[in-house]
Amino acid sequence: MATFSYLCPLIFMCIIVSSHAQLQQNFYAKSCPKAEKIILDHVRKHIPNAPSLAAALIRMHFHDCFVRGCDASVLLNFTSSAGNQTEKVGIPNLTLRGFSFIDDVKKVIEAECPGVVSCADIITLVARDSIVVTGGPFWNVPTGRRDGRISNASETLSDIPAPTSNFSTLQTDFARKGLDLKDLILLSGKQKLLLHQCSQFGVSHCSSFSTRLYNFTGTFGTQDPSLDSEYAANLKAKKCKSLNDNTTIVEMDPGSFRTFDLSYYKLLLKRRGLFQSDAALTTSTATKSYIEKLVDGSLKKFYAEFAKAMEKMGRIEVKTGYAGEIRKHCAVVNS
């Protein structure tokens, strides 16, 4: 079994550790003791009626954390005073949903405790609670994040991993954020909605992967050889019938798109992952061995591993103490 080594330089590790040193469980216990219950109650009331929003919210959390850390910069709107396009309109974020849901939660929280709970913490708590109420695992969310004041659309392309990424690129992208190979596998699994343009659990538009079927080398008619040929033929015959299909939706792991399980990893080992970045996960001996370990293990063990990865992701480059601010409205910085 190959071993995993931490991918970041020691200096960067120290930066990561010091940046989240002030996060703690129940950070708002005295300043807003009902905050976490209010958020959970709102999620319990609304997400079961729109379960696909759970996927959108956890994907928003991922995209927020990978650009400038988990600081709610993804929520900011363009303003003439700032003069730049924000992350919200960056190409990887054009399919993000759930902004109004976060705004609604913020309004409820502000009514209880004005100016206390950050939008960054709200995103993180909502993402966790949405997964839990739709049948997924629980993970701890230490709080105390503060909101960033800067948001640049241009940074989304450089910081958010693309579905066309190869293994080396994915490894580098995650390492820059203090995440290792295990985190890469866990955060790319059934919850791969984090990485790809999905509207709900485990589905994607043909446009996100059609080049693998029709134009892999840049010449029309070429197919990605790493994709199972029988699976590819089925996709072309019954789902994505042309390179330019931008509307058809395909299940990433057929039959289980409403569940949170290990089926994605089983498909990877059969070379039936939809995306190039899916196939990339089995090109490394270390990652393939870990995928095999997950498949051979229990769902309970997978949930525990996933929970650790999510908590770790929620600590990326956070702002605490006097850094940043606590926004009054999540879409705009305080005046």
Side-chain angles (χ1 to χ4, degrees), residues 122-317:
I122 288 174
I123 292 178
T124 311
L125 288 163
V126 164
R128 189 271 311 278
D129 292 345
S130 296
I131 295 301
V132 172
V133 302
T134 51
F138 173 92
W139 62 92
N140 291 319
V141 176
T143 45
R145 297 166 189 78
R146 289 171 65 84
D147 300 323
R149 298 189 181 97
I150 299 172
S151 183
N152 296 311
S154 60
E155 294 176 346
T156 61
L157 284 172
S158 59
D159 288 357
I160 296 173
T164 55
S165 297
N166 59 28
F167 176 76
S168 177
T169 301
L170 288 171
Q171 184 179 17
T172 300
D173 288 344
F174 274 67
R176 283 204 316 253
K177 302 303 175 182
L179 301 173
D180 60 24
L181 292 178
K182 283 188 176 181
D183 301 318
L184 168 59
I185 297 299
L186 292 161
L187 298 176
S188 302
K190 182 67 179 99
Q191 55 289 356
K192 58 188 166 291
L193 49 98
L194 296 176
L195 290 177
H196 308 312
Q197 296 181 11
C198 313
S199 58
Q200 56 186 306
F201 284 114
V203 298
S204 178
H205 288 94
C206 288
S207 56
S208 295
F209 60 87
S210 57
T211 55
R212 296 188 75 199
L213 300 174
Y214 294 103
N215 197 37
F216 186 64
T217 64
T219 301
F220 184 76
T222 56
Q223 182 176 298
D224 185 351
S226 68
L227 188 63
D228 177 73
S229 58
E230 182 180 339
Y231 180 51
N234 183 272
L235 286 172
K236 289 193 283 189
K238 299 181 179 180
K239 297 292 184 178
C240 306
K241 298 180 180 180
S242 75
L243 177 63
N244 300 316
D245 185 339
N246 296 314
T247 57
T248 302
I249 289 177
V250 179
E251 290 184 44
M252 296 181 188
D253 24 340
S256 64
F257 75 97
R258 293 188 184 279
T259 61
F260 201 101
D261 57 26
L262 292 163
S263 59
Y264 166 71
Y265 300 107
K266 295 175 182 178
L267 288 175
L268 282 189
L269 296 177
K270 295 178 180 179
R271 299 191 298 122
R272 294 192 172 194
L274 276 185
F275 301 101
Q276 189 173 343
S277 56
D278 292 332
L281 298 179
T282 60
T283 60
S284 157
T285 301
T287 52
K288 186 175 182 181
S289 295
Y290 185 59
I291 291 170
E292 291 170 342
K293 182 179 178 181
L294 287 176
V295 168
D296 291 338
S298 67
L299 190 60
K300 181 179 180 180
K301 176 65 174 176
F302 166 61
Y303 277 13
E305 293 286 293
F306 175 69
K308 287 187 287 187
M310 284 302 301
E311 182 176 349
K312 190 174 176 182
M313 188 186 80
R315 293 178 178 272
I316 294 175
E317 300 169 23

